[in-house]
Amino acid sequence: MEKIAYEILEREEPVVLAENLGFGKYFTDHIFVMDYSPAKGWHDAKIMPLRNLSLHPATTFIHYGQTIFEGLKAYYGENGDILLFRPEKNYQRLNNSARRLCMPEVDIDFMVEATKELVRIDKDWVPRNNSDTLYVRPFMVGSDPFLGVRPSADYKMFVMLSPVGAYYPEGFKPVKILIQDDYVRAVRKGLGECKTAANYAASMLGAEIARKQGYTQVLWLDAVELKYIEEVGTMNIFIQIGDEVITPKLTGGILPGITRLSVIDILRDWGMTVTERQISIDEFMAEYDKGNVKEVFGSGTAAVISSVGELKYKDRTLQVSGGEIGPLAQKLFDHLTAIQRGKVEDKFGWTLKVEIPVNA
Ligand SMILES: *Cc1c(COP(=O)(O)O)cnc(C)c1O
């Protein structure tokens, strides 16, 4: 595969990170860019200063949404190493999204190396405190200047970096979630299992309605019957009923989260019963009324684990774990972030070290 060309910004002042990073507001100095054409395949990989793109107004993805993305994080580990969490899984999922949207696949090993290289170059942007992280956003777009509806011939692949704080304005506090049945996010056999722009566009109105009612996020039901619990806008969902932890099985309408996968492995390692199955909203309500719903929490790269303190469905408001952070959500958050930051043994081999040369 390709060599990476470099155009490195000579910084005069040291990087100073903002107090309150928020999510996705700040960007590092550099970006990774690579081009695709049918004749050359992927070529011209480079790391260069972040600057605005210049695009023809007819560029495919602007009109028809042929665009896919990923999200992962880089952390400062205990002993000064920078760690990435399961990056190969992100590029595998990017390739799955690519196939569904008729886009070219990338070489996973090369993209992991390119990501490490970009993080290495912008290492001063990796927050050193315990709550902030460097969010890594790979994305690919169809780049033909052409208004006909067909897959683009040419593509561009990017990786950009953004130092971020806690995802939710509440920080690690329980979130309030609206169970939305007026709108749907994505449908199985559609694009539900892809990280692609259309799903987020489809979710915005439902999410805005929820936000206006004081809810942080929406819990979506399946788009075919509006019967089964699917996921939250940017998180997969887990429900603890008695001693069983249930997460909706991947039916095609749900994004297969890497945090979800990791949570399932950790819970099983702890000897807990985790079931991937369909759970209907009626079953959930019935168990709630019997007092059996112990905890509800979401999982995703951005928030890692997010405890749900309140749910609203039609005209009922349900409190979960007394509106507080559930003990299991707290334990998972602590354990997962400890693995991500290299503070406990990484027995699953999930973290990948970004070696920093001593003289850098
Ligand atoms: C990214 C995302 C998730 C979480 O996936 P992770 O790999 O755990 O970050 C869940 N749902 C949706 C819709 C997402 O976009």
Side-chain angles (χ1 to χ4, degrees):
M1 185 69 191
E2 282 288 306
K3 273 230 165 351
I4 301 175
Y6 295 87
E7 183 192 331
I8 302 296
L9 186 94
E10 292 300 333
R11 222 176 207 289
E12 269 146 37
E13 273 134 45
V15 173
V16 180
L17 295 178
E19 280 286 300
N20 257 318
L21 288 168
F23 191 90
K25 286 197 290 184
Y26 300 97
F27 301 98
T28 68
D29 292 332
H30 296 92
I31 186 166
F32 169 88
V33 189
M34 179 166 73
D35 294 319
Y36 178 91
S37 68
K40 288 185 171 174
W42 286 111
H43 61 281
D44 280 354
K46 57 180 180 284
I47 289 176
M48 58 184 233
L50 178 72
R51 48 174 102 94
N52 290 348
L53 300 173
S54 166
L55 293 173
H56 192 282
T59 304
T60 314
F61 80 91
I62 304 176
H63 299 268
Y64 308 122
Q66 204 189 17
T67 168
I68 55 179
F69 68 93
E70 273 304 324
L72 66 152
K73 279 176 169 176
Y75 303 80
Y76 253 110
E78 263 315 69
N79 40 15
D81 296 326
I82 297 173
L83 302 171
L84 294 171
F85 188 71
R86 311 187 80 175
E88 70 293 343
K89 289 269 173 225
N90 290 92
Y91 287 110
Q92 274 168 16
R93 188 170 63 190
L94 182 91
N95 279 346
N96 293 343
S97 300
R99 281 193 295 276
R100 179 64 180 83
L101 280 103
C102 304
M103 300 169 83
E105 292 180 43
V106 293
D107 182 295
I108 294 172
D109 292 339
F110 175 77
M111 284 313 303
V112 169
E113 281 310 309
T115 304
K116 281 167 72 174
E117 187 66 358
L118 181 66
V119 170
R120 198 177 287 132
I121 287 167
D122 278 345
K123 65 183 182 345
D124 293 346
W125 289 87
V126 183
R128 286 187 178 264
N129 66 30
N130 237 329
S131 55
D132 300 339
T133 54
L134 186 72
Y135 182 75
V136 179
R137 168 56 62 91
F139 61 106
M140 190 198 295
V141 302
S143 58
D144 284 4
F146 177 69
L147 281 182
V149 179
R150 56 134 173 84
S152 187
D154 291 353
Y155 293 85
K156 276 184 177 290
M157 175 76 215
F158 302 90
V159 184
M160 67 190 300
L161 306 174
S162 171
V164 299
Y167 186 69
Y168 293 117
E170 297 94 326
F172 193 63
K173 290 214 189 95
V175 292
K176 292 166 64 176
I177 287 189
L178 179 75
I179 302 174
Q180 176 61 268
D181 62 352
D182 286 331
Y183 301 97
V184 295
R185 181 194 88 97
V187 59
R188 61 178 187 259
K189 304 198 181 191
L191 298 175
E193 60 192 355
C194 304
K195 247 177 147 64
T196 184
N199 293 334
Y200 305 85
S203 75
M204 283 181 188
L205 180 57
E208 272 304 287
I209 291 168
R211 200 182 54 75
K212 284 190 186 129
Q213 294 181 30
Y215 291 87
T216 319
Q217 284 257 357
V218 169
L219 177 60
W220 300 101
L221 299 177
D222 78 278
V224 179
E225 298 177 82
L226 287 170
K227 182 172 168 190
Y228 296 105
I229 291 174
E230 293 229 302
E231 64 165 318
V232 182
T234 54
M235 299 192 294
N236 295 108
I237 194 93
F238 287 82
I239 298 163
Q240 189 184 17
I241 297 181
D243 289 331
E244 184 191 16
V245 182
I246 301 160
T247 192
K249 76 170 189 199
L250 304 175
T251 53
I254 301 174
L255 203 281
I258 295 158
T259 320
R260 174 187 179 277
L261 206 59
S262 310
V263 166
I264 292 173
D265 284 346
I266 291 172
L267 290 176
R268 288 193 176 143
D269 188 50
W270 287 347
M272 297 186 69
T273 306
V274 188
T275 321
E276 293 179 70
R277 65 168 173 92
Q278 287 191 302
I279 173 165
S280 71
I281 186 66
D282 292 342
E283 178 186 351
F284 176 80
M285 297 300 279
E287 292 294 343
Y288 181 85
D289 286 334
K290 285 190 257 172
N292 291 340
V293 175
K294 283 197 191 154
E295 273 189 54
V296 178
F297 58 88
S299 73
T301 295
V304 188
I305 298 292
S306 197
S307 191
V308 177
E310 187 182 310
L311 287 155
K312 186 173 182 213
Y313 179 56
K314 298 193 191 285
D315 41 21
R316 286 195 64 188
T317 303
L318 318 179
Q319 245 200 15
V320 191
S321 27
E324 305 289 322
I325 292 172
L328 186 59
Q330 181 74 60
K331 191 174 163 197
L332 275 167
F333 178 83
D334 292 344
H335 190 68
L336 206 44
T337 51
I339 294 175
Q340 288 166 334
R341 290 177 184 274
K343 291 182 179 173
V344 294
E345 188 207 348
D346 174 18
K347 64 192 274 187
F348 298 102
W350 285 339
T351 55
L352 183 71
K353 191 156 119 182
V354 179
E355 303 83 0
I356 306 292
V358 263
N359 58 352

